[in-house]
Amino acid sequence: MSFSPLFLSCSVALSICLSDTGDGNPRESSPFINNADDDKGTLYDGKNMALFEEEMDSNPMVSSLLNKLANYTNLTQGVREHEEADEDEGAKKQTVKSPQMGTFIGVYLPCLQNILGVILFLRMTWIVGTAGILESFIIVSMCCSCTMLTAISMSAIATNGVVPAGGSYYMISRSLGPEFGGAVGLCFYLGTTFAGAMYILGTIEILLTYIVPSAAIFKAEEKAQEADALLNNMRVYGTCCLTLMALVVFVGVKYVNKLALVFLACVVLSILAIYAGVIKTIFEPPIFPVCLLGNRTLQNHGFDKCMKTEIIDNVTVTTKLWSLFCKGPELNASCNEYFTLNNVTEIQGIPGLTSGVISENMWGSYGPAGMLVEKAMPSVPASDASQDKHMPYVVNDITAFFTLLVGIYFPSVTGIMAGSNRSGDLRDAQRSIPIGTILAIATTTIIYLSCVVMFGACIEGVLLRDKFGDSVKGNLVIGTLSWPSPWVIVIGSFFSCCGAGLQSLTGAPRLLQAIARDGIVPFLEVFGHGKANGEPTWALLLTAVICESGILIASLDAVAPILSMFFLMCYLFVNLACALQTLLRTPNWRPRFKYYHWTLSFLGMSLCLALMFISSWYYALVAMLIAGCIYKYIEYRGAEKEWGDGIRGLSLNAARYALIRLEEAPPHTKNWRPQLLVLLNLDSELSVKHPRLLSFTTQLKAGKGLTIVGSVLEGTFLSRESDAKRAEQSIKSAMASEKTKGFCHVVVSSNLRDGFSHLIQSAGLGGMKHNSVLMAWPTNWKQSSDPQSWKNFIETIRETTAAHQALLVAKNVDSFPHQERLAEGTIDVWWIVHDGGLLMLLPFLLQQHKVWRKCKMRIFTVAQLDDNSIQMKKDLQMFLYHLRLNAEVEVVEMVRRWMFLGIRIITDESRSSIRRKNQSGAHGSAVNNQNAHLDDDKQDEVAQLIHDRNTASHAALNDKADVSPERVHMTWTKDKFCTERNRNRDHSANMAVRDLFSMKPNQSNVRCMHTAIKLNEVVANKSQGAHLVLLNMPGPPKNRGGDENYMEFLEVLMEGLNRVLLVRGGGREVITIYS
């Protein structure tokens, strides 16, 4: 019988497990916890898991999870990251074909194709000739080291989990956050777009210079116009080429992908032709003669024989070269002076690997634009060199220097991201990306370094410095070295540049589309749309426009440093992301690639930064400015994204370190500023009742210090969890609209009093705790049927006093200014009680904000009949002078001495504070101060006796049940006070000190009300037109029976004033005269 209940419960549970689902198995929504995918077809085998049956909706069975993970495939490129819910996009998940590409096909060859390109074929020989072998070796080593270190960092990031889409942008954004990710992603996009412009310019340069020079539209009539004509031709043909390539990409990327293998074959064959040609020069150097006049290199276009005259049929006749330098073909014609003084010699442009020319090419030969390309051999100089620029000499087209060559060369080592960009198509991306990328960089580094040595060892120096091959009849210089024909290199480099340009125009729009679809840059959202098949049409259009701007520059040497900046910035942040993740040691940082270290990442980052400024310091600054503007824009307008990025982890670590440091000691008076806990009331719809309280917080804080906005909901957390979240969102939206920066904290408590008490006690963390509480005055407390509202208000005052925190209470807070600037006016401070200087500090803080900037501060203090008002004013002015505060000072004298007995204690404390802070060096002043302190002590003793007697009277009165109605403790309003005052006028006028000891509670209330009325009359008279009035807030009575009277006293004290801020100090000095 004892087992019946257990058996029955197990039977019920089993029946639940075997409920009608077709086969008796409940369905599981997804193998991932809280996954939004509604996969109703996946079932779990949970017949004997009744204990966990209720959790199956959110927590899947392990077997189901593992089964789903085993069938998981990477998403294709351009698709959102796998974490996002599919139904949010309104599209069904499509079955993706399992990727099959390995390391060689998927990573190594694409990287090889992207790295080897236009710079190698068109500028490498010129760089070696200009910089020399040693400096060229340094340039190549620096750039390749930079990309190798970046590849190591990239491999660590790429193997730390799945990189579904976006390649480098995905890695950077998910490692450094949306701000850095968006900024660097757009820089990488601009770099890829300008790379497309560079490849197109390279294509047109090969076409017009080496394939069909006759196709040029603009032709130079004089030599000085050749450069401008070339640039104009590049612009026209480049624009046509860009239009054609954009149409190809628009029609379909599949055609580009099909041609990729052809373009790769062209690159490989061209490299092999170079090595074959170098080997052939050992046995049989190719015949490419270079004609020299003296030591100057001649352009070999307008003549066929390198000689001045020749003998034909025993007759000496002039050659075509003669007619280029002389005014006629006659032997006695007037000729150029340098032509007459020097002989013509012919040298071999490719002397061969064993010729020893390597020693001549070891050092650089920099020079300005227009400098003649000369060989190191003797010549006779001419007296007049003004006509040299019109002669057919080979000259420098641009001013060459080391840093410029770095900027021009660096694009030839970019392209290392090609493998990571294809991560969705790889069979095992975490294995293929590191191996393929590092091997590709190692291979290209060997190729580049060997080419530097081979070019310097095989090619004559003057031919190396001949950028366009004018001295060898317009042949491509690197083509003269190749075997079997120069056309192998020309055609190979042409198709290589075409392919690279097409790939740039294919990849850049998809990168922009990925950024736009992430939603972090609002104005780019239009570029996230495309054709029905997902092709980024609008992004392609923008890419073509930006690419056209690069083509209009028209110079390959001018475009290369621009894209170098953007790529270097991208690589810099890849290294930074790896270093940051390594140093932070986040739990999710578990790369499969183990051969990395944060020092290598920092070295790579430093090298990237150095190369940016080495290449072009002004381009580097512009690139950083663009990235900075994008960063601030995303920070200001971008969507909130939580990607678990390293910057957030860094912020958490920095915050933890700072909080631990703050715990070591309390803040010094010089560092004190109001750290506010703002207590808000919510209406029935959970909306903020007084949003202007948040505006006032912003104006008081000016964006500095801590702000915690708290509110309390009545009930239990289990029943009001959703309401608490709604309330938090409502408060956050109100904070955003009021531009209040801070934290939001909503507490659910059984009653409001306990909730606010918990906030006052526990809000904040460590040293970042609030020291002041800001709340609104309960305006309609009299009309409220529930007295608990104003009782909670008074209890909050008591709580802040007990916690030694300052209290600010704003009356008529809805009339406080929002964002509109106030006209000239005053902020009036009525300094009755010394509160540590908070009353004087608050107006100063308000004046720092634009809303209150035109307001002047006025300080009023109260003098008793035995005070020297003139001296008191001087002391206060000196005190403010030492505090470095600008304010008008006024001492108010109250004529009735008896009224001051009610507030004498607090005014004495204020006067004593001024006296202490303005001590004079004279002995007489010290004696006066001592006497004043003795008077204060006596007055304190009298006040204590009065307080004790009143407390006893209150207690006795409450114990008596049969007292007369006129002796019953009642709430004292202003009307009741006037009646009582008229009835007792004669007695109160002649009251002596001894009568105070027999004072009844109603008499004490009369005196307190009289004090409030008289003080209110003075304040209203002096400060009626002030923009804000700050008043000392008297403390609540210790006997809770007088709470309602206390509220009446405060109401009367503030009557007739528009904006009032009651201030109660926290019991410590908050302002100092010392530096």
Side-chain angles (χ1 to χ4, degrees):
M1 295 294 293
S2 61
F3 292 96
S4 298
L6 178 62
F7 178 79
L8 181 61
S9 62
C10 290
S11 301
V12 173
L14 186 60
S15 65
I16 294 174
C17 291
L18 298 177
S19 57
D20 291 337
T21 56
D23 58 354
N25 292 325
R27 299 191 176 187
E28 175 197 292
S29 60
S30 168
F32 298 101
I33 295 175
N34 297 326
N35 197 315
D37 295 344
D38 190 14
D39 189 3
K40 297 297 183 182
T42 304
L43 307 177
Y44 74 87
D45 186 13
K47 294 184 177 63
N48 56 352
M49 288 294 162
L51 185 61
F52 302 94
E53 194 265 345
E54 293 184 357
E55 301 180 13
M56 289 301 174
D57 291 337
S58 59
N59 299 350
M61 292 287 296
V62 173
S63 57
S64 177
L65 171 69
L66 295 177
N67 179 57
K68 196 67 175 285
L69 287 176
N71 296 326
Y72 179 74
T73 58
N74 294 339
L75 300 178
T76 56
Q77 300 303 298
V79 183
R80 292 272 188 110
E81 58 267 27
H82 66 283
E83 294 93 350
E84 296 191 23
D86 289 338
E87 62 255 25
D88 291 343
E89 302 300 319
K92 296 181 179 179
K93 181 180 288 187
Q94 298 179 353
T95 303
V96 182
K97 184 180 179 181
S98 179
Q100 295 297 326
M101 281 199 289
T103 303
F104 186 75
I105 298 295
V107 180
Y108 181 77
L109 290 181
C111 285
L112 208 66
Q113 181 184 359
N114 278 268
I115 295 173
L116 299 172
V118 59
I119 300 297
L120 171 65
F121 299 125
L122 295 184
R123 293 293 182 269
M124 193 66 182
T125 53
W126 174 72
I127 290 174
V128 173
T130 305
I133 295 175
L134 288 179
E135 293 185 26
S136 299
F137 210 86
I138 293 173
I139 293 174
V140 173
S141 299
M142 280 196 309
C143 296
C144 291
S145 298
C146 176
T147 54
M148 179 62 79
L149 292 171
T150 304
I152 292 172
S153 299
M154 183 194 71
S155 299
I157 299 174
T159 58
N160 186 51
V162 181
V163 182
S168 58
Y169 162 69
Y170 182 94
M171 290 188 294
I172 295 172
S173 61
R174 271 55 177 182
S175 296
L176 293 179
E179 293 87 3
F180 278 110
V184 181
L186 285 176
C187 285
F188 191 49
Y189 162 74
L190 291 174
T192 307
T193 305
F194 275 100
M198 183 188 72
Y199 290 128
I200 292 174
L201 290 175
T203 302
I204 303 304
E205 183 177 314
I206 294 170
L207 179 70
L208 295 180
T209 308
Y210 308 113
I211 298 180
V212 279
S214 59
I217 299 175
F218 301 93
K219 300 183 183 296
E221 297 179 357
E222 299 180 3
K223 184 184 177 184
Q225 300 175 350
E226 288 180 357
D228 294 334
L230 176 62
L231 293 180
N232 290 329
N233 286 318
M234 299 281 278
R235 292 184 181 103
V236 173
Y237 277 96
T239 303
C240 296
C241 184
L242 172 63
T243 305
L244 182 62
M245 287 185 176
L247 287 175
V248 171
V249 174
F250 177 77
V251 169
V253 186
K254 59 183 180 180
Y255 301 108
V256 179
N257 294 332
K258 287 180 180 179
L259 292 173
L261 191 60
V262 176
F263 299 142
L264 177 61
C266 292
V267 173
V268 174
L269 288 176
S270 299
I271 299 295
L272 293 177
I274 293 171
Y275 279 99
V278 170
I279 295 172
K280 184 175 180 294
T281 61
I282 301 175
F283 313 104
E284 184 183 350
I287 307 299
F288 284 99
V290 176
C291 188
L292 301 178
L293 176 61
N295 63 349
R296 299 177 180 178
T297 309
L298 298 177
Q299 293 182 353
N300 195 352
H301 291 303
F303 62 93
D304 51 356
K305 296 179 180 179
C306 185
M307 55 182 66
K308 295 181 181 180
T309 59
E310 60 178 341
I311 299 176
I312 300 177
D313 297 333
N314 294 326
V315 178
T316 301
V317 295
T318 59
T319 62
K320 293 182 180 179
L321 179 62
W322 179 283
S323 61
L324 294 176
F325 288 90
C326 301
K327 294 182 178 180
E330 299 83 10
L331 291 173
N332 60 353
S334 167
C335 296
N336 178 268
E337 181 183 1
Y338 188 85
F339 181 78
T340 305
L341 296 175
N342 293 274
N343 295 323
V344 176
T345 55
E346 189 176 70
I347 61 173
Q348 284 301 318
I350 313 292
L353 192 62
T354 58
S355 62
V357 73
I358 187 172
S359 59
E360 299 178 10
N361 295 331
M362 194 64 69
W363 309 106
S365 178
Y366 301 105
M371 187 187 80
L372 300 175
V373 175
E374 299 175 338
K375 184 176 174 58
M377 57 186 292
S379 65
V380 181
S383 58
D384 182 16
S386 59
Q387 295 301 315
D388 289 346
K389 60 182 179 181
H390 302 292
M391 297 295 106
Y393 296 125
V394 177
V395 297
N396 288 349
D397 63 329
I398 60 173
T399 302
F401 43 90
F402 178 80
T403 57
L404 174 71
L405 299 186
V406 174
I408 292 176
Y409 172 76
F410 188 81
S412 65
V413 297
T414 60
I416 62 173
M417 301 290 187
S420 63
N421 290 341
R422 294 167 177 257
S423 58
D425 300 326
L426 300 175
R427 187 185 307 116
D428 185 1
Q430 296 191 8
R431 178 179 177 273
S432 298
I433 289 177
I435 296 175
T437 304
I438 292 175
L439 281 180
I441 294 175
T443 303
T444 53
T445 301
I446 293 172
I447 291 174
Y448 282 134
L449 292 176
S450 61
C451 283
V452 168
V453 176
M454 290 188 303
F455 294 162
C458 296
I459 305 177
E460 183 63 47
V462 291
L463 181 56
L464 285 174
R465 299 196 295 276
D466 184 4
K467 183 184 291 185
F468 301 106
D470 292 320
S471 59
V472 285
K473 298 186 181 297
N475 277 299
L476 182 62
V477 176
I478 196 173
T480 61
L481 184 62
S482 64
W483 180 86
S485 169
W487 285 102
V488 175
I489 296 289
V490 172
I491 300 301
S493 60
F494 177 79
F495 283 111
S496 173
C497 290
C498 283
L502 282 172
Q503 287 188 349
S504 296
L505 291 179
T506 303
R510 278 158 180 75
L511 178 59
L512 181 62
Q513 187 182 46
I515 298 172
R517 285 185 172 179
D518 262 341
I520 57 176
V521 186
F523 70 85
L524 291 180
E525 289 181 359
V526 65
F527 299 106
H529 306 292
K531 293 192 294 186
N533 59 354
E535 293 297 319
T537 308
W538 293 107
L540 176 62
L541 182 62
L542 178 64
T543 302
V545 171
I546 297 175
C547 193
E548 176 64 20
S549 66
I551 289 174
L552 292 178
I553 297 175
S555 172
L556 186 69
D557 302 322
V559 173
I562 296 176
L563 66 99
S564 294
M565 293 302 111
F566 293 122
F567 278 119
L568 279 168
M569 183 165 290
C570 177
Y571 297 163
L572 184 149
F573 281 101
V574 169
N575 284 295
L576 175 61
C578 180
L580 199 61
Q581 296 279 22
T582 306
L583 289 175
L584 290 177
R585 299 179 182 176
T586 52
N588 192 53
W589 180 247
R590 303 184 299 274
R592 289 192 175 278
F593 181 77
K594 301 298 181 183
Y595 305 101
Y596 71 94
H597 195 267
W598 67 268
T599 54
L600 295 177
S601 299
F602 267 115
L603 181 61
M605 184 178 66
S606 304
L607 193 54
C608 288
L609 189 62
L611 285 174
M612 286 179 67
F613 283 93
I614 287 174
S615 302
S616 175
W617 64 268
Y618 45 90
Y619 278 157
L621 292 178
V622 170
M624 288 182 172
L625 180 64
I626 292 173
C629 292
I630 297 171
Y631 178 94
K632 296 304 293 184
Y633 176 80
I634 296 174
E635 185 180 53
Y636 179 66
R637 292 291 304 277
E640 290 291 333
K641 296 285 184 179
E642 172 51 57
W643 288 332
D645 51 88
I647 293 297
R648 187 174 181 84
L650 181 63
S651 301
L652 289 173
N653 275 271
R656 180 185 63 86
Y657 175 77
L659 285 172
I660 292 174
R661 290 291 301 273
L662 284 175
E663 283 278 17
E664 293 180 359
H668 192 273
T669 302
K670 291 184 290 186
N671 294 327
W672 194 95
R673 66 169 61 248
Q675 316 283 9
L676 289 180
L677 170 63
V678 184
L679 300 181
L680 290 181
N681 291 323
L682 304 178
D683 57 20
S684 58
E685 297 180 356
L686 301 181
S687 299
V688 178
K689 282 187 179 179
H690 303 293
R692 290 295 173 88
L693 202 60
L694 296 174
S695 300
F696 183 69
T697 303
T698 304
Q699 296 156 17
L700 183 62
K701 304 289 293 181
K704 305 295 190 300
L706 174 69
T707 301
I708 302 174
V709 181
S711 187
V712 178
L713 300 180
E714 283 191 281
T716 63
F717 183 69
L718 292 178
S719 62
R720 304 206 63 182
E721 177 191 2
S722 59
D723 289 342
K725 291 182 178 179
R726 283 175 49 215
E728 189 170 337
Q729 291 301 321
S730 174
I731 293 175
K732 284 183 178 179
S733 62
M735 292 172 66
S737 62
E738 302 295 336
K739 298 182 179 180
T740 303
K741 296 182 179 179
F743 307 99
C744 176
H745 195 179
V746 177
V747 172
V748 181
S749 179
S750 58
N751 57 74
L752 293 178
R753 175 188 169 184
D754 290 345
F756 285 123
S757 177
H758 294 157
L759 281 174
I760 292 171
Q761 293 178 60
S762 61
L765 179 64
M768 285 296 287
K769 291 183 70 70
H770 61 280
N771 54 28
S772 307
V773 177
L774 174 62
M775 57 194 303
W777 171 260
T779 307
N780 299 321
W781 68 273
K782 290 183 180 180
Q783 290 76 21
S784 176
S785 58
D786 182 16
Q788 198 60 40
S789 59
W790 57 264
K791 288 183 179 180
N792 288 337
F793 173 77
I794 297 178
E795 288 302 320
T796 303
I797 298 175
R798 290 192 173 102
E799 295 275 357
T800 56
T801 304
H804 301 289
Q805 295 172 3
L807 177 64
L808 311 178
V809 179
K811 183 192 175 187
N812 296 333
V813 68
D814 293 330
S815 68
F816 277 51
H818 179 50
Q819 298 295 333
E820 63 277 7
R821 301 190 182 191
L822 294 174
E824 293 185 0
T826 61
I827 301 175
D828 288 358
V829 177
W830 285 84
W831 192 27
I832 302 170
V833 176
H834 177 60
D835 56 355
L838 185 59
L839 269 175
M840 287 170 285
L841 182 62
L842 292 178
F844 170 76
L845 294 176
L846 285 174
Q847 286 175 326
Q848 308 308 305
H849 196 272
K850 62 181 181 180
V851 172
W852 303 88
R853 191 160 293 155
K854 294 183 179 180
C855 297
K856 296 180 180 179
M857 179 167 47
R858 295 193 302 179
I859 295 182
F860 298 88
T861 190
V862 180
Q864 298 190 45
L865 292 181
D866 56 350
D867 286 327
N868 186 342
S869 300
I870 299 176
Q871 185 61 39
M872 195 173 175
K873 182 174 181 178
K874 289 181 179 178
D875 291 342
L876 183 54
Q877 287 175 334
M878 182 59 65
F879 183 46
L880 293 175
Y881 174 78
H882 287 309
L883 288 175
R884 290 93 62 202
L885 294 176
N886 297 321
E888 298 179 10
V889 175
E890 186 171 343
V891 179
V892 178
E893 295 181 349
M894 310 291 277
V895 295
R896 295 195 177 186
R897 179 181 178 84
W898 68 268
M899 194 278 292
F900 262 97
L901 293 174
I903 59 170
R904 185 181 179 103
I905 300 168
I906 54 178
T907 53
D908 285 342
E909 186 180 353
S910 176
R911 290 187 289 108
S912 300
S913 172
I914 296 181
R915 286 172 180 167
R916 287 195 301 270
K917 293 182 180 292
N918 293 284
Q919 289 181 354
S920 125
H923 176 68
S925 298
V927 173
N928 291 336
N929 289 339
Q930 186 176 2
N931 294 334
H933 285 298
L934 292 175
D935 292 340
D936 293 341
D937 294 339
K938 287 183 179 181
Q939 292 157 3
D940 289 343
E941 291 174 5
V942 173
Q944 186 62 40
L945 289 173
I946 295 173
H947 171 74
D948 294 343
R949 183 64 175 270
N950 288 342
T951 304
S953 300
H954 274 283
L957 184 62
N958 292 333
D959 291 339
K960 293 180 181 179
D962 56 347
V963 294
S964 60
E966 63 181 14
R967 293 299 184 187
V968 174
H969 177 72
M970 57 186 176
T971 301
W972 277 90
T973 63
K974 188 175 181 181
D975 296 335
K976 293 177 182 178
F977 162 74
C978 294
T979 304
E980 184 70 14
R981 181 182 62 179
N982 294 332
R983 189 163 61 85
N984 297 321
R985 182 180 299 274
D986 297 335
H987 297 287
S988 59
N990 300 317
M991 183 181 296
V993 175
R994 58 184 174 82
D995 296 327
L996 295 176
F997 294 99
S998 60
M999 185 184 299
K1000 300 298 185 292
N1002 61 342
Q1003 293 174 325
S1004 176
N1005 291 335
V1006 168
R1007 296 184 63 257
C1008 290
M1009 183 60 70
H1010 190 273
T1011 301
I1013 291 176
K1014 285 299 180 182
L1015 191 55
N1016 173 259
E1017 288 176 359
V1018 176
V1019 174
N1021 182 41
K1022 296 287 186 180
S1023 304
Q1024 187 67 46
H1027 286 316
L1028 180 64
V1029 177
L1030 280 76
L1031 283 169
N1032 280 118
M1033 183 179 189
K1038 292 186 178 180
N1039 185 0
R1040 285 177 169 78
D1043 284 356
E1044 192 168 1
N1045 290 331
Y1046 173 71
M1047 293 293 292
E1048 283 287 353
F1049 301 153
L1050 293 182
E1051 190 74 56
V1052 171
L1053 184 62
M1054 297 183 291
E1055 187 177 2
L1057 301 175
N1058 182 21
R1059 301 188 189 111
V1060 182
L1061 186 66
L1062 294 176
V1063 180
R1064 184 165 175 78
R1068 63 162 295 171
E1069 294 288 336
V1070 301
I1071 195 167
T1072 178
I1073 64 175
Y1074 300 104
S1075 61

